[in-house]
Amino acid sequence: MNQSAAGPRVHMIPPSRRMQGSGLLATMFLPSLLTRPACSSDGLSPSLNLSKCTTAMANSHTRIKDDCLNLLIVGGGVIGLACAKELAESGHDVVLIERHRMLGSETSSRNSEVIHAGIYYPPESLKTELCIEGRARMLAFSRARGVRFSLCGKLIVACTEAEISALDQIEERAAQAGPEIALQRWSQTKVRSKAPAVRAVQALWSAGTGIVDGHQFMHQLRVAAEQAGALILPAHSMMSAHSTDPGFEIELTLQQGPSEQHYFDAVVNAAGHGAVQVARHVCDAVPEQIAVKGNYFAISGPAPADTLIYPVPRPNLVGLGTHLTIDLAGRARLGPDVELDADSNQMAVSADRLDAVWSAARHFLPSLRRDQLMADYAGFRPKLAVDRFADFHIGGDDAPTGWINLLGIESPGLTASLAIARRVRAQLDQL
Ligand SMILES: Cc1cc2nc3c(=O)[nH]c(=O)nc-3n(C[C@H](O)[C@H](O)[C@H](O)COP(=O)(O)OP(=O)(O)OC[C@H]3O[C@@H](n4cnc5c(N)ncnc54)[C@H](O)[C@@H]3O)c2cc1C
């Protein structure tokens, strides 16, 4: 530990295993909190709400449980927020740090906001299991908390006779995964009556697929986490970590300010695209994540359909195929496409992808005009492989006891978030 004048400010906090964590939290962030800018009532806004924090600290003071861990969550996207809610509600002392001033501003703000039914993935995979469980939890949570969503359904369309076998495979896989994924085979006539602009010779209808207001969902996760006593700290970054066995000493900074060292019993690494870098502080063998860009193009004018339209998926599930999504305001867009080797610092839409996206979409929307499309936004999938199926990675590696890495949390991560959080909690319960 560097204690020189030029080095980071160090709080000498003795490793506490259990029960001591709750008192610790109240003091350790106090200097940072006092220097924070003014509060905002918007849960996802840049500035931290001090009154919520003091409530959180007061709660953490009074809560004493035998099995309470002093926990750090790195990353304030939907996964970190879901973990904060789940772990705080189960009685742990939770601190969540997010390097940006705005929570959920990376991948969690740059997706299709689709509530997936769990259709595509191998039946025994975590993606299938946690998508099905997460969807049920997301719907229950959203109903209870007033998060807007719509079960608008989805059509997976075979545009030619040759594509029908792909529908057969999807149907078979979904049947193996469980009765929750109830798919119906639709004829061309039935597709036409639902979505006249769509060309299909047959389709699979998923009534359980929907769309959600992802920002409202994250905001409510934050509110629930804070109500359970979690301390949510935007504009705080994890700079380094080392294992003290038991526990971890973590170097944190507030908005590029001086750093401080703090002790935690356990760490949940939910840092999205930053997760590999975070993991490498304490783990030797960390798989690489590949950032695969997905560009979206908005469709001007009325939406061509009032449901989601997907083509049959690409091989290896690199992407689900450029599809038509609608949002809760009824706006339609195409995407995400799959742009390999894109510069991951370039968040702007790659405008040169428009022709390829238009051409892919005309396969199922033949009357779509090129001049109806305009660049919308882009996101990067944190993928563990591009040439084969790769599952979510939740702990289960060579990490020291008490450190859980969440890697490869691409789609359906938003849908699965509350189930992923449950899984993390179950792993921590084993400690
Ligand atoms: C194009 C696209 C479309 C998608 N569509 C869907 C969909 O329709 N439905 C669905 O279910 N899923 C979808 N997904 C997947 C879903 O968006 C992700 O699984 C989910 O958002 C991942 O959330 P996260 O919290 O892991 O990552 P993020 O949202 O990226 O959050 C990680 C956070 O960690 C922070 N961080 C990183 N390093 C540090 C550090 N050192 N210190 C502090 N903070 C740090 C980052 O700033 C970031 O905010 C899609 C993904 C993409 C890319």
Side-chain angles (χ1 to χ4, degrees), residues 309-362:
I309 312 287
Y310 283 58
V312 292
R314 292 168 58 111
N316 301 324
L317 293 174
V318 176
L320 297 180
T322 297
H323 46 265
L324 173 81
T325 55
I326 48 173
D327 63 21
L328 287 159
R331 287 178 299 246
R333 62 179 61 87
L334 293 169
D337 67 351
V338 175
E339 185 181 359
L340 299 167
D341 304 322
D343 176 354
S344 59
N345 295 313
Q346 266 307 332
M347 295 312 297
V349 171
S350 308
D352 59 350
R353 309 283 300 181
L354 188 147
D355 280 328
V357 167
W358 178 50
S359 156
R362 285 212 308 162

